[in-house]
Amino acid sequence: MTTSDQIAPEQTTATEEQLEQEGDIAADYLEGLLDIADIDGDLAMDVRAGRAYVSVEADDVESLSSISHPDTVQALQELTRLAVQNSTGRFSRLILDIGGSRDARQRQLETLVDRAITRLEEGASQASLPAMSSYERKLVHDIAADRGYASESFGEGADRHTVLRRG
């Protein structure tokens, strides 16, 4: 059983004040990591759509290149969520962006959805996408809906993926 499985669903709805607290805790944690790695970056925090968002930005985007790869951002996001959860006792759905990595991932997901739509237009009854995080699956569902296609998630845990069908 994972830590997130042990937390009741009603504990996942946080107030605006709690989300701001999550952002502050995350920023402190990330500042420490950036200092250890000797990486210059500015932190920005926001609360929207029931989540705390923390961005690491820099005037020189290259200074963040060692930590802005999508897999690295995902790993740092999970570590940051654990630090927040350890401090607050609540499950965190915090979103981390480093040097525009979220926008880059959004474009990659749009490309994946467009390729899946091409397969559907060529006659496939459905098109499966690779396994991804819940946040990325939500983005895929939104992209598919915007393009007039239906989507549904299947699988468990790390194998959970999205399947597209005609709308």
Side-chain angles (χ1 to χ4, degrees):
M1 181 178 285
T2 65
T3 305
S4 62
D5 291 335
Q6 298 170 357
I7 297 173
E10 60 272 5
Q11 290 177 305
T12 61
T13 304
T15 66
E16 180 104 6
E17 183 178 321
Q18 289 171 324
L19 292 171
E20 289 172 358
Q21 177 191 28
E22 284 186 22
D24 289 339
I25 293 166
D28 289 343
Y29 177 77
L30 290 165
E31 266 183 24
L33 285 177
L34 292 173
D35 286 344
I36 290 168
D38 196 28
I39 297 172
D40 290 326
D42 298 316
L43 295 161
M45 294 168 285
D46 191 16
V47 172
R48 59 183 186 268
R51 291 181 187 238
Y53 284 76
V54 178
S55 299
V56 180
E57 304 161 351
D59 292 332
D60 176 17
V61 179
E62 281 300 308
S63 67
L64 299 176
S65 65
S66 64
I67 60 170
S68 62
H69 184 275
D71 291 338
T72 305
V73 174
Q74 184 69 25
L76 288 171
Q77 176 176 278
E78 290 307 315
L79 288 172
T80 306
R81 284 179 174 178
L82 287 172
V84 169
Q85 182 174 321
N86 187 47
S87 179
T88 65
R90 294 184 313 270
F91 177 73
S92 174
R93 296 174 55 220
L94 177 128
I95 299 296
L96 175 63
D97 179 72
I98 298 176
S101 61
R102 290 287 167 194
D103 289 339
R105 184 61 177 151
Q106 171 82 23
R107 288 188 300 276
Q108 290 173 341
L109 293 174
E110 288 170 353
T111 299
L112 278 175
V113 169
D114 289 341
R115 287 181 188 154
I117 289 171
T118 299
R119 290 194 309 268
L120 293 172
E121 289 173 350
E122 291 173 349
S125 61
Q126 64 182 31
S128 294
L129 299 179
M132 56 188 72
S133 72
S134 61
Y135 177 76
E136 291 173 326
R137 285 192 314 276
K138 188 221 179 293
L139 292 176
V140 165
H141 292 304
D142 292 346
I143 295 164
D146 286 347
R147 287 167 170 69
Y149 287 81
S151 61
E152 191 173 351
S153 292
F154 292 95
E156 296 294 326
D159 293 326
R160 195 147 172 88
H161 64 282
T162 309
V163 175
L164 270 62
R165 294 186 177 88
R166 287 180 192 81

